[in-house]
Amino acid sequence: FMQNKGENKLLISLLIAFFLGGFELTVSGSLNQIIASTFNSPSMAPLVISAYLAGSVIGSFLFGILVDSFGRKRTLEIGLIVFVLASSLIAISSNAFEFLILQGIQGLAIGGDSTAASPTIVEMIGKNWRGKAFVIVSTVWFLGDMLASIIGLYLLSFLPPSEVWRYSYLFALFLVIPFVFIRFTLKESQVWKEFGVIKRKFTSLQKRNIILFTVISSIDSIVAYVFPFILIPDFIAPYLGFS
């Protein structure tokens, strides 16, 4: 770890965003059929991951604006608070529409939090550790993937499938709560204090281009995941002998 305790605390507080990104994506992708069957809506399965990805892309865009307008610290606090609220409600969601809305909000929080974390690392972690910090947070994403798989398999060994996804979301909820308190003890980026108050005014054409880019990015992210990981496997599974 770094010698500066403040930088250590900052990095630890940022790890949770990338961990949750991997964790929630795996839960959504691997348990989407179970979630759909819980709500008696087979057609909902591809939308489980689509809602999360769409929320992530939109969150990245929105939080990119927030992080420059309101500061790194405040935006990071907002990201985890939104995630906590969405996770607490999604675990007790009672219908498909409610679940998909909350799933999108979860994605928005994680996508936005990851976006806010990047400039925070650049501005608040020393140059000797900056590159290592990005490697660490990227690795933590895959640890989230792995832990989600392990927890899912463990829960399936003694819980009915319809309850496994609910407990998986609750696990993420309780895991993130301590990090919320850590976030509130962080200091604001000095770089943002000095330069972040200068707001750039976009022309109407620039605003339209940004909105168009956001829509295209959302569609691209959804298609890039849904087709290779959900629709195509579902299509070829019967031909391979899987039900």
Side-chain angles (χ1 to χ4, degrees), residues 4-237:
N4 187 313
K5 292 183 178 180
E7 291 183 353
N8 283 330
K9 184 169 68 172
L10 171 65
L11 181 58
I12 290 171
S13 75
L14 296 178
L15 291 178
I16 191 63
F18 294 87
F19 177 88
L20 290 173
F23 186 92
E24 296 292 343
L25 193 60
T26 299
V27 170
S28 302
S30 60
L31 300 179
N32 64 323
Q33 297 287 350
I34 294 176
I35 294 170
S37 64
T38 301
F39 298 115
N40 297 315
S41 179
S43 60
M44 170 193 175
L47 298 178
V48 172
I49 189 64
S50 299
Y52 179 84
L53 291 172
S56 296
V57 174
I58 295 171
S60 297
F61 172 72
L62 292 178
F63 276 62
I65 297 174
L66 291 177
V67 79
D68 284 336
S69 300
F70 299 104
R72 289 32 172 156
K73 171 180 165 61
R74 191 176 300 176
T75 305
L76 288 169
E77 292 168 354
I78 292 172
L80 283 195
I81 290 174
V82 171
F83 179 84
V84 167
L85 293 174
S87 295
S88 60
L89 293 174
I90 200 171
I92 58 173
S93 54
S94 58
N95 58 69
F97 178 77
E98 186 179 298
F99 175 90
L100 291 174
I101 293 296
L102 292 169
Q103 179 81 333
I105 295 174
Q106 262 198 338
L108 184 144
I110 296 303
D113 204 69
S114 301
T115 298
S118 297
T120 305
I121 291 174
V122 171
E123 295 172 1
M124 299 182 67
I125 291 182
K127 61 181 181 180
N128 293 332
W129 262 90
R130 198 172 297 148
K132 298 182 183 72
F134 277 108
V135 172
I136 291 171
V137 295
S138 299
T139 303
V140 166
W141 178 286
F142 297 105
L143 290 177
D145 282 334
M146 182 177 67
L147 186 59
S149 300
I150 294 172
I151 290 175
L153 290 172
Y154 174 70
L155 293 176
L156 281 169
S157 67
F158 64 91
L159 285 176
S162 60
E163 297 296 321
V164 169
W165 64 269
R166 295 185 188 274
Y167 281 97
S168 296
Y169 283 117
L170 284 175
F171 174 82
L173 168 63
F174 288 112
L175 182 66
V176 78
I177 289 176
F179 290 88
V180 175
F181 293 103
I182 295 176
R183 289 276 177 95
F184 276 93
T185 66
L186 297 177
K187 295 181 180 180
E188 181 56 87
S189 164
Q190 191 61 35
V191 175
W192 180 82
K193 285 183 178 180
E194 295 175 1
F195 302 106
V197 293
I198 303 174
K199 298 181 179 179
R200 180 181 177 185
K201 295 182 179 180
F202 291 104
T203 65
S204 58
L205 178 60
Q206 288 174 317
K207 291 179 180 178
R208 284 199 299 270
N209 288 339
I210 290 173
I211 293 173
L212 179 61
F213 176 76
T214 302
V215 172
I216 294 174
S217 298
S218 300
I219 295 173
D220 178 68
S221 296
I222 293 170
V223 171
Y225 191 93
V226 169
F227 271 88
F229 293 106
I230 297 177
L231 295 184
I232 293 177
D234 286 348
F235 176 77
I236 66 174

